[in-house]
């Protein structure tokens, strides 16, 4: 049984009275804050670590997906995702995102330049105040569904920020949960992965991810901490550092402190075993580990109960969505929580199951000859049920496992962040509850600010 104790009530200083407070500073949160501040809203952005970018910087995952439809004819994503790439291009810190063919296999970013550029984008924006090293702790409610202020843990002190509206961009939905939103987990949540970076990977020669999987399976007895065989990797753009997403926490849980501590430790044991295996196997390569993430990459944690859950069948059908706020092409990509398998449902109409790095099963999920050029994400999946002045953007989105497998990638969540920022800015203007903001107005304001709205 859990033991509880009373904590004495305390008075905390109020550091800010803002119109909008965004909690969480991945691109999702930064883009939400930038969009609102650019619309003249007095905005505060809070991040618990020392830089912006979330999984893209802290987690070492510098890969965005294409901005074009699957026919490679039409651009479907623009807004701040595109603007950020234009800025990174000046440093040679992004691969060719302008060309549909070149970018079909992904847009590679240099995470360090991304962190620097996000700082600049925030610094250049009036109306925007930033707090680093500040973690959300709890929401103080004015009434059910209405947050008055949030309490934060800063450096050695607790303080509060009052705001008219709040955006939860914590990934995990901490703000929504504290404000009383119903939360749930998927029955088999996608596993967490800690990435790592190596130098001298190029000296391993033609060493494919399938070859690495095979080597892992042959070597398991000698290196018992090796992960299951799943892995993918890439060179960080403009650098000789190779990022390997090669660990996998099976049957894990990342939603409470004890479990995530265990997951961090296990993932680093897996890194250690991989490093030892590769050094022993390729001694002449002088492979060297150069970076570990400052947090394990969480694919699938808690989700909010929204006013309408996004299901796979709703996402992948062609019916028009009057409240569409984002366009995407990333396939439904479900990593197994039990082994190294991955299931991809491609918009081309094929579904492929990979086991041991090889296509093990293939079938069509769309009738022969049919494909989907892109799908759309609705605003309703970001609006927590019965919430008046807070909205969520990020992987806590209300989506079933199939829809989530597709929407969970950054180019999609970046757009959700922009939509949350625009919705909050319109609510400030119209002095209304967030669910009362007209989706048509949100779409109009998104287009005005540079997004592609279909
Ligand atoms: C290993 C791995 C590989 C992936 N590969 C890709 C890929 O190639 N391409 C792709 O697009 N997607 C990929 N994804 C998915 C994608 O990275 C994530 O789904 C996405 O980044 C989630 O974005 P988010 O904004 O919801 O959360 P996060 O990126 O996790 O950001 C949440 C932010 O909130 C902050 N925060 C959290 N709690 C608090 C708090 N209490 N107070 C203040 N701040 C807080 C965090 O520090 C963080 O900055 C991958 C995911 C993983 C794990």
């Amino acid at each position: 049984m859990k033991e509880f104790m009373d904590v004495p009530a305390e008075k905390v200083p109020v550091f800010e009275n803002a119109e909008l407070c965004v909690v969480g500073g991945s691109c999702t949160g930064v883009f939400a804050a930038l969009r609102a501040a650019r619309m003249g809203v007095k905005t505060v952005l809070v991040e618990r670590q020392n830089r912006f970018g979330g999984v893209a910087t802290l987690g070492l995952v510098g890969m965005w997906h294409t901005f074009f439809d699957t026919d490679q004819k039409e651009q479907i994503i623009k807004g701040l995702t595109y603007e950020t790439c234009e800025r990174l291009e000046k440093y040679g810190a992004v691969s060719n995102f302008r060309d549909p063919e070149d970018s079909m296999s992904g847009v590679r970013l240099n995470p360090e330049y991304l962190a620097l550029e996000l700082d600049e984008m925030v610094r250049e924006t009036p109306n925007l105040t930033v707090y680093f090293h500040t973690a959300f702790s709890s929401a103080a409610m004015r009434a059910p569904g209405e947050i008055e202020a949030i309490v934060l843990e800063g450096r050695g002190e607790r303080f509060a920020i009052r705001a008219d509206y709040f955006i939860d961009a914590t990934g995990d939905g901490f703000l929504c949960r504290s404000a009383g939103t119903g939360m749930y987990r998927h029955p088999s949540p996608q596993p967490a992965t800690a990435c790592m970076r190596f130098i001298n990977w190029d000296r391993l020669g033609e060493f494919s991810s399938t070859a690495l999987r095979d080597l892992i399976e042959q070597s398991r007895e000698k290196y018992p901490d090796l992960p299951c065989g799943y892995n993918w990797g890439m060179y960080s753009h403009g650098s000789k550092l190779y990022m390997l997403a090669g660990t996998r926490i099976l049957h894990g849980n990342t939603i409470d402190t004890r479990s995530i501590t265990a997951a961090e430790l296990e993932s680093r044991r897996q890194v250690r075993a991989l490093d030892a295996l590769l050094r022993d196997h390729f001694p002449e390569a002088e492979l060297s580990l150069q970076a570990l993430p400052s947090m394990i990459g969480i694919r699938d944690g808690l989700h909010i109960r929204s006013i309408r859950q996004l299901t796979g069948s709703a996402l992948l059908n062609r019916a028009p969505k009057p409240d569409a706020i984002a366009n995407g092409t990333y396939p439904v990509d479900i990593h197994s929580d039990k082994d190294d398998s991955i299931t991809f449902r491609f918009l081309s109409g094929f579904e492929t199951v990979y086991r041991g790095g090889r296509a093990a099963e293939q079938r069509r999920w769309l009738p022969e000859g049919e494909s989907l050029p892109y799908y759309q994400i609705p605003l309703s999946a970001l609006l927590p049920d019965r919430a008046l002045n807070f909205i969520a953007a990020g992987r806590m989105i209300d989506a079933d496992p199939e829809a989530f497998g597709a929407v969970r990638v950054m180019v999609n969540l970046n757009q959700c962040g922009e939509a949350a920022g625009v919705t909050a800015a319109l609510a400030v203007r119209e002095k209304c509850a967030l669910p009362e903001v007209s989706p048509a107005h949100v779409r109009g304001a998104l287009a005005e600010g540079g997004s592609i709205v279909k």
Side-chain angles (χ1 to χ4, degrees):
M1 210 177 90
K2 267 190 184 168
E3 194 188 344
F4 290 91
M5 65 174 279
D6 288 323
V7 176
E10 60 181 320
K11 268 198 189 347
V12 294
V14 178
F15 274 23
E16 303 279 349
N17 277 290
E19 289 174 307
L20 172 65
C21 178
V22 181
V23 184
S26 67
C27 288
T28 315
V30 173
F31 290 0
L34 288 173
R35 288 300 285 250
R38 286 182 184 182
M39 289 172 73
V41 171
K42 188 182 171 200
T43 304
V44 179
L45 172 59
V46 174
E47 165 56 44
R48 86 181 152 185
Q49 304 229 39
N50 72 337
R51 77 195 72 169
F52 296 125
V55 171
T57 55
L58 302 161
L60 310 177
V61 181
M63 167 70 92
W64 284 353
H65 294 100
T66 183
F67 308 160
F68 294 88
D69 69 356
T70 51
D71 298 332
Q72 304 182 19
K73 287 197 182 117
E74 205 183 344
Q75 188 170 345
I76 55 158
I77 298 173
K78 210 166 177 223
L80 285 166
T81 301
Y82 195 82
E83 190 179 315
T84 305
C85 287
E86 286 181 312
R87 297 175 71 117
L88 292 174
E89 202 175 29
K90 293 186 193 137
Y91 306 96
V94 62
S95 64
N96 187 353
F97 58 96
R98 297 176 188 278
D99 183 77
E101 210 182 316
D102 272 6
S103 66
M104 249 331 125
S105 58
V107 175
R108 287 180 297 122
L109 314 165
N110 180 317
E112 317 311 322
Y113 281 102
L114 175 63
L116 297 183
E117 215 42 42
L118 292 172
D119 281 354
E120 278 307 287
M121 291 166 84
V122 165
R123 195 179 59 86
E124 289 165 7
T125 307
N127 309 313
L128 183 50
T129 306
V130 172
Y131 286 82
F132 283 128
H133 291 278
T134 299
F136 169 81
S137 174
S138 58
M141 306 303 290
R142 182 177 293 121
E146 194 179 356
I147 301 175
E148 179 190 348
I150 56 171
V151 179
L152 300 141
E153 302 283 347
R155 293 264 299 161
E157 65 182 334
R158 277 155 74 80
F159 62 92
I161 292 179
R162 274 208 189 93
D164 300 326
Y165 299 90
F166 294 85
I167 296 177
D168 183 343
T170 60
D172 292 286
F174 291 132
L175 182 142
C176 290
R177 183 168 65 171
S178 177
T181 300
M183 309 291 293
Y184 66 94
R185 281 180 89 199
H186 289 142
S188 232
Q190 297 205 33
T193 291
C195 300
M196 65 209 89
R197 264 197 214 132
F198 288 101
I199 191 126
N200 295 340
W201 189 271
D202 50 320
R203 297 191 190 165
L204 305 186
E206 293 296 305
F207 189 55
S208 66
S209 63
T210 313
L212 175 56
R213 281 180 173 102
D214 293 344
L215 182 60
I216 288 173
E217 293 319 327
Q218 290 154 18
S219 316
R220 202 168 281 295
E221 213 169 290
K222 183 166 175 205
Y223 307 88
D225 286 329
L226 280 173
C228 75
Y230 155 81
N231 73 83
W232 70 273
M234 60 168 213
Y235 286 94
S236 177
H237 191 71
S239 124
K240 289 197 162 168
L241 292 173
Y242 186 82
M243 188 283 285
L244 179 70
T247 67
R248 191 179 253 200
I249 306 300
L250 300 177
H251 315 290
N253 177 358
T254 49
I255 64 170
D256 69 69
T257 315
R258 286 190 179 121
S259 313
I260 202 163
T261 303
E264 292 279 11
L265 290 170
E266 184 186 333
S267 73
R268 288 200 282 275
R269 282 198 300 276
Q270 294 183 7
V271 171
R272 182 191 272 266
L274 273 171
D275 179 69
L277 168 68
L278 292 167
R279 280 159 167 277
D280 292 351
H281 204 76
F282 299 99
E284 69 294 346
E286 295 177 0
L287 194 75
S288 169
L289 185 64
Q290 296 292 304
L292 291 170
S294 66
M295 59 183 194
I296 193 168
I298 301 175
R299 285 197 179 77
D300 192 355
L302 280 177
H303 296 269
I304 60 163
R305 298 246 177 244
S306 72
I307 57 178
R308 191 166 51 254
Q309 188 188 51
L310 179 60
T311 59
S313 55
L315 182 76
L316 300 176
N317 75 33
R318 289 162 200 272
K321 294 187 180 66
D323 67 338
I325 45 84
N327 309 310
T329 58
Y330 190 68
V332 175
D333 163 9
I334 301 182
H335 294 240
S336 167
D337 184 35
K338 297 176 182 58
D339 54 33
D340 71 354
S341 64
I342 306 188
T343 304
F344 278 105
R345 182 170 277 205
F346 297 102
L347 301 199
S348 62
F350 282 104
E351 181 175 287
T352 309
V353 181
Y354 292 88
R355 286 200 191 88
R358 295 170 177 89
E361 293 165 38
Q362 193 167 57
R363 55 188 159 257
R364 282 200 68 83
W365 65 275
L366 277 175
E368 203 53 50
E370 275 190 32
S371 64
L372 200 61
Y374 61 91
Y375 50 74
Q376 297 197 293
I377 304 171
L379 182 63
S380 48
L382 309 181
L383 288 163
D385 189 26
R386 281 176 264 195
L388 300 174
N389 72 339
F390 59 96
I391 181 170
R395 63 180 158 73
M396 77 295 274
I397 188 170
D398 190 6
D400 73 6
E402 188 185 7
F404 182 68
V407 301
R408 66 187 181 85
V409 295
M410 292 181 262
V411 287
N412 293 343
L413 300 180
N414 292 350
Q415 295 173 81
C416 292
E418 291 182 68
V422 162
T423 307
L426 293 174
V428 169
R429 263 188 214 163
E430 293 165 19
K431 293 190 172 37
C432 67
L434 287 164
E436 288 165 16
V437 176
S438 143
H441 289 174
V442 174
R443 285 164 52 79
L446 279 169
E448 252 172 58
S451 300
I452 294 178
V453 173
K454 296 274 176 195

